[in-house]
Amino acid sequence: MHNKFIDLILKNRSYRGFDKTYKVSIEECINMINCARFSASSSNIQPLKFYIATDEIEVAEIQKLTRWAGSLSNLTLPKLNEEPTAFIVVCHDITISNNVDRFLIDVGIVSQSILLSSADQGLGGCMIRSFEKQKLIELLKFNENLIPQLVIALGKPIETIKLVDKEENKDTTYYRDDNGIHYVPKRTLNELIIEH
């Protein structure tokens, strides 16, 4: 059974190739952050803040500090001229709470909200945890109170991503075929549900 919410979840993939001619706007990013703003927060403390990068030069500099698709070590992704056209950097403000680890769950919650909003706007993105934190702080001239926790790449996706059921005795590592189609094995529903 399909409904609009499941369709949105299925559209929200980890994209690693984008149409460089489509420039994500600041307004589109603000819409995404507004969705994050209304999302749940541990004890409703809301210590996360967001940096928007849409300037072409700044986006290119942030891109240099990120590492993508560790399971596809034979590829350099995104490919040349398929890079994202915007980033949102999710930061923890230690003046609101100095317990950074406690709010890692918030990072996941707001980032999913941002990417669902992105998909709803016909865009897509990728959560990136592998980045050069100190260099990013220096590049963006963050004050000492802001700790980057996640980098979200954004753009107009050009990749084909297919979800497939994980085969028995195989792992969940994503892979690509010779045509560049990206496959993401998912555990079956039966495998996930704990029986009584």
Side-chain angles (χ1 to χ4, degrees), residues 92-129:
H92 182 106
D93 186 343
I94 59 173
T95 63
I96 297 174
S97 171
N98 62 6
N99 187 347
V100 176
D101 289 345
R102 174 183 174 190
F103 294 96
L104 290 177
I105 191 169
D106 287 33
V107 174
I109 291 168
V110 301
S111 299
Q112 181 77 336
S113 295
I114 286 169
L115 286 177
L116 286 171
S117 172
S118 161
D120 191 52
Q121 295 179 72
L123 303 172
C126 187
M127 296 184 201
I128 303 168
R129 183 82 168 132

Side-chain angles (χ1 to χ4, degrees), residues 52-93:
I52 298 170
T54 58
D55 174 78
E56 193 171 340
I57 293 171
E58 186 174 59
V59 167
E61 290 301 310
I62 294 172
Q63 173 62 37
K64 291 176 190 175
L65 302 179
T66 61
R67 302 290 173 268
W68 297 57
S71 294
L72 299 173
S73 56
N74 58 321
L75 297 176
T76 300
L77 295 174
K79 294 177 183 173
L80 186 63
N81 296 319
E82 293 184 4
E83 298 91 347
T85 59
F87 285 103
I88 292 176
V89 181
V90 181
C91 297
H92 182 106
D93 186 343

Side-chain angles (χ1 to χ4, degrees), residues 40-54:
S41 174
S42 180
S43 299
N44 201 37
I45 292 174
Q46 306 169 58
L48 302 180
K49 295 190 175 174
F50 307 89
Y51 182 89
I52 298 170
T54 58

